[in-house]
Amino acid sequence: MEIIVCIRRVPDLSETEIEIGRDGVSLADDDLDYDVNEWDNFAIEAAVRLKEEHGGRVTAMTVGDEESEDVLRRALAMGADEAVHLMDDAFDGSDALGTATILHRAIADRPYDLILTGAISGDEARGHVGPMLAAMLDIPMVALATELSVEGGTVTVQHEVEGGLERITRMALPALVTVQTGLNEPRYVSIRGIRKVSGMEIPVLGAGDLDLEGSQVGVASSAVTVEEIFLPPRGGGAEMLEGSEETVVQKLVERLQQEGAF
Amino acid sequence: MREIFVVVERSRDGLAESALELLTAARGLGEATVSAVLMGADVADLASEAAQWFDSVYVFEDPALEHPDGDLQARILAPLIDREKPLVTLLAHTNTGLELAPMLAVRAGTPLIADAMDIESSAAGDCEAGVECIRAVRSVFGGKVQARVSAIPAENGVMISVRPGAYTPPDMASGAGGAVHSETIPEGVAPRRQCVETVPPDPGAVDISQAEVLVAIGRGIEDEENLEDLHSLADAMGAEVACTRPVVDRKWLEKTRQVGTSGVTVKPRVYLALGISGSFQHLGGVKGDPFIAAINTDPAAPIFGVADVGIVGDILDLIPLLEEKIRERRG
Ligand SMILES: Cc1cc2nc3c(=O)[nH]c(=O)nc-3n(C[C@H](O)[C@H](O)[C@H](O)COP(=O)(O)OP(=O)(O)OC[C@H]3O[C@@H](n4cnc5c(N)ncnc54)[C@H](O)[C@@H]3O)c2cc1C
Ligand SMILES: Nc1ncnc2c1ncn2[C@@H]1O[C@H](COP(=O)(O)O)[C@@H](O)[C@H]1O
């Protein structure tokens, strides 16, 4: 079975003070930490487990700059057999449609049975690239998988639907599935594990290799333009309790009691 | 007159609330015919209900449409959009919309803005000479940053998925009595997915949906061992324990304690949010405008934007202290 998993390198901002870059449309990324998108980590694990169960091959792909090689190496360390780095200056500024177009070109002419993507990326938070890619390949897809199994030529997916419910859906391969967190427990990647795959060749494909014109990708093709990014207005929100740990907890306990919390 | 499409979802007892929120969003875009697009297996009643609110209703009724199937829906709706050429197509940014919108945008050849919270249509000439442009504010980077994005309608318009809860449904149906157009599934379009079953909820599971006071924990708890202190705090308060998704993903607490759009909807009086960033998917499950108190190490955490009181601090230190003080008070 040929499995392709699409992954993205994203900054981890959960505990970081954020600054807007001088261009007004990107972050000042002096000391941001980057890692593989949380959802994609579950997708890689799912791909590797399916391969371990059924045999076949896992290929990890990313569209991104030089630094994005990190997430491909990480996927190889988790057990992907091959990685493909889609990189070109012409790809810079691609929106979801542009990214899906690049992936489509890279995938369409190779063999594939199952394509896995994350449900959504932690930075752009669109959830577009997977379903867009499925539509371009004209294959069926299911979003938000929480369980996944392959049998014969079909994939069976448990996935989240409205109202906190889950549904089980079956499709013939080839198909695409977007993966929700919690689908599995992604294996731990050690520095030693990464070192082990450091010698593996990662082919880089650019616009020319994929027969893509400059107008089909990158800023030029982007149908959705980011005009500005800004920090949500502060204040207007919580009344912040200040003082020593003793003091703030004391104040909080009083407020909680007033509200009848205990 | 120009037309705006609203792809409506249904709930167990009629039009989904999101459908009417989208109607408000559509009416905000200026003078236009606002049409509902409805798909389902048995939707005659729903079509008449929609006609009370919308100027017109396009209905696809077919057994194959019993459960939402984004792949099938996209292949059905793309030809309709190509025929009617609405300026804007609105969908809800729900699980159903998350599947349908990107596939439909590709098939209909339109730009797509995801998870919009505030949409405006600017006057012609604003974005690019002589063309109207659609702008929206959306939230990126885990809710810590907002982005103003714009798109110029293509021949088949612009598509926007709208965050549930971002708009308020209109108070009253206009009684528009809109025309109902019965549509047929295009030749050669058949389902490529098969629904095996809908998983029934576990009847024996804990039910936090009725709890008055919830102590909710997020990824900030860092380690499973630290949950012990949390349980003692909840005990001291006589409260129920709730959590965010990452805590369930790690199997530290049961799925039935997860609050959010893919978890449980709660409506407590008091919600204590500990080490929770405040994502929209989490807060989407907190209803009824409770008193929210939040503790987080990050002063810029989005949770402080919705909380009533907040403390910037480390929950690993503050949880035991909180328990101690509460036990003192209760005597
Ligand atoms: C389709 C979909 C559905 C989803 N459904 C749900 C859902 O139903 N429920 C849900 O919760 N999520 C859901 N999510 C996930 C959601 O997007 C967020 O990823 C999740 O809510 C984040 O949980 P969190 O706040 O615990 O973690 P994070 O966002 O990682 O936040 C952790 C917070 O803890 C703080 N912190 C860290 N250490 C400490 C400390 N020692 N003391 C104090 N604070 C600390 C950090 O500053 C940070 O703000 C869904 C996502 C998708 C795509
Ligand atoms: N640059 C990229 N390269 C490869 N895959 C991507 C890229 N961007 C997004 N994806 C995939 O698409 C999913 C959804 O991303 P998004 O549409 O950005 O929310 C991610 O989880 C990835 O699996």
Side-chain angles (χ1 to χ4, degrees), chain A residues 30-85:
Chain A
D30 297 335
D31 39 33
L32 294 180
D33 285 334
Y34 285 82
D35 202 346
V36 66
N37 181 36
E38 188 178 354
W39 284 263
D40 304 354
N41 201 30
F42 291 91
I44 301 166
E45 179 65 35
V48 172
R49 285 193 194 185
L50 285 173
K51 179 193 75 168
E52 287 167 351
E53 190 183 344
H54 299 280
R57 199 158 60 125
V58 173
T59 305
M61 284 193 186
T62 195
V63 179
D65 58 13
E66 247 155 68
E67 318 276 338
S68 298
E69 192 184 313
D70 291 356
V71 295
L72 293 176
R73 292 262 169 235
R74 206 176 169 285
L76 290 170
M78 284 174 78
D81 302 277
E82 194 190 330
V84 177
H85 193 165

Side-chain angles (χ1 to χ4, degrees), chain B residues 100-280:
Chain B
L100 169 60
M103 287 192 275
L104 184 54
V106 165
R107 291 183 184 276
T110 70
L112 170 60
I113 297 175
D115 194 14
M117 301 187 292
D118 189 7
I119 311 167
E120 49 180 88
S121 147
S122 75
D126 190 5
C127 261
E128 196 177 275
V131 249
E132 178 165 5
C133 134
I134 307 289
R135 281 207 175 76
V137 174
R138 59 189 308 270
S139 134
V140 288
F141 297 109
K144 291 180 93 172
V145 179
Q146 304 206 323
R148 189 182 318 281
V149 299
S150 65
I152 295 170
E155 200 194 330
N156 285 340
V158 170
M159 213 162 283
I160 307 176
S161 71
V162 182
R163 173 171 292 194
Y167 287 86
T168 314
D171 289 337
M172 254 195 331
S174 63
V180 175
H181 311 278
S182 200
E183 298 286 333
T184 46
I185 296 182
E187 197 81 34
V189 174
R192 302 194 286 191
R193 301 175 12 173
Q194 177 204 343
C195 171
V196 181
E197 64 169 314
T198 301
V199 185
D202 176 2
V206 280
D207 180 13
I208 61 166
S209 69
Q210 305 303 319
E212 293 269 310
V213 180
L214 285 168
V215 176
I217 194 73
R219 202 185 327 238
I221 192 73
E222 287 170 21
D223 213 316
E224 188 172 11
E225 290 169 7
N226 300 329
L227 277 172
E228 220 168 284
D229 287 349
L230 181 83
H231 287 296
S232 324
L233 171 63
D235 265 356
M237 295 174 65
E240 206 48 92
V241 169
C243 64
T244 62
R245 179 160 191 134
V247 176
V248 174
D249 289 345
R250 285 173 183 70
K251 310 215 159 41
W252 294 348
L253 286 173
E254 310 93 295
K255 174 90 185 171
T256 41
R257 294 191 187 276
Q258 177 190 314
V259 172
T261 55
S262 61
V264 183
T265 299
V266 296
K267 38 179 194 321
R269 274 187 299 112
V270 178
Y271 197 77
L272 184 54
L274 305 171
I276 292 176
S277 63
S279 69
F280 123 81

Side-chain angles (χ1 to χ4, degrees), chain A residues 5-9 37 39-40 43 61-64 96 99 103 116-131:
Chain A
V5 46
C6 303
I7 60 177
R8 174 183 179 94
R9 179 175 178 266
N37 181 36
W39 284 263
D40 304 354
M61 284 193 186
T62 195
V63 179
T99 304
L103 289 166
L116 299 179
T117 73
I120 201 164
S121 57
D123 55 349
E124 293 284 356
R126 306 172 285 217
H128 284 178
V129 172

Side-chain angles (χ1 to χ4, degrees), chain A residues 140 142 149 151 153-159 167-173 175, chain B residues 69 192-197:
Chain A
V142 165
S149 63
E151 213 171 289
T154 64
V155 55
T156 304
V157 187
Q158 185 160 330
H159 56 113
R167 185 164 294 141
I168 300 175
T169 293
R170 188 167 295 146
M171 306 179 279
L173 299 173
Chain B
D69 168 348
R192 302 194 286 191
R193 301 175 12 173
Q194 177 204 343
C195 171
V196 181
E197 64 169 314

